Amino acid sequence: MTFMVCLLQAGPGVTLIPAVIWVYFDQGLMPAMLLLIVTIITIIIDNVLRPFLIRKQADIPLILIMLGVIGGLGGLGLVGIFIGPLVLSVAYTLTKSWINDSRAKISPLPPNSLHYRFLC
């Protein structure tokens, strides 16, 4: 169940927090505290470290990557988890490059003028 929830970008806390509560009532305080510590570490890694590493590799908005995962999963199944973000990332990069090139061709101002620096 955690795997399916993580595919939907909901994170591990959706399944681990109820698991902590269940372990508390079933096995006691110490095992529940241990699982709670592991849960907190996992949530921090999932919510802080993963976006940082994704952002470090490519300058693509995180929401675009998330939509690519969800759309790819819905459209192509398990393989779409990898293909969806890849297609959206390539399309985003090409569109961004195309817009920057068209702005550079249209701009009548020389690149070293003060007005040009203000606009870009």
Side-chain angles (χ1 to χ4, degrees):
M1 183 171 167
T2 303
F3 177 72
M4 294 305 290
V5 173
C6 287
L7 288 179
L8 298 174
Q9 300 295 315
V14 175
T15 55
L16 287 176
I17 292 174
V20 169
I21 295 169
W22 178 72
V23 167
Y24 173 73
F25 286 117
D26 189 51
Q27 296 183 4
L29 181 63
M30 288 308 290
M33 290 299 288
L34 182 65
L35 184 59
L36 181 65
I37 291 170
V38 170
T39 300
I40 290 171
I41 292 170
T42 305
I43 290 173
I44 290 172
I45 288 172
D46 188 58
N47 291 331
V48 175
L49 191 59
R50 185 172 49 118
F52 175 73
L53 292 175
I54 290 172
R55 176 73 65 156
K56 185 178 177 183
Q57 295 297 322
D59 191 22
I60 298 168
L62 187 61
I63 189 77
L64 191 66
I65 294 170
M66 185 177 71
L67 288 174
V69 169
I70 294 171
L73 181 65
L76 300 172
L78 195 58
V79 176
I81 294 172
F82 305 104
I83 293 176
L86 179 70
V87 169
L88 281 180
S89 299
V90 169
Y92 175 78
T93 305
L94 287 175
T95 305
K96 192 174 172 182
S97 175
W98 178 55
I99 290 171
N100 287 339
D101 285 347
S102 65
R103 281 185 186 169
K105 290 179 183 177
I106 293 175
S107 177
L109 299 172
N112 46 353
S113 71
L114 183 61
H115 187 68
Y116 179 81
R117 289 186 194 151
F118 180 72
L119 290 175
C120 295

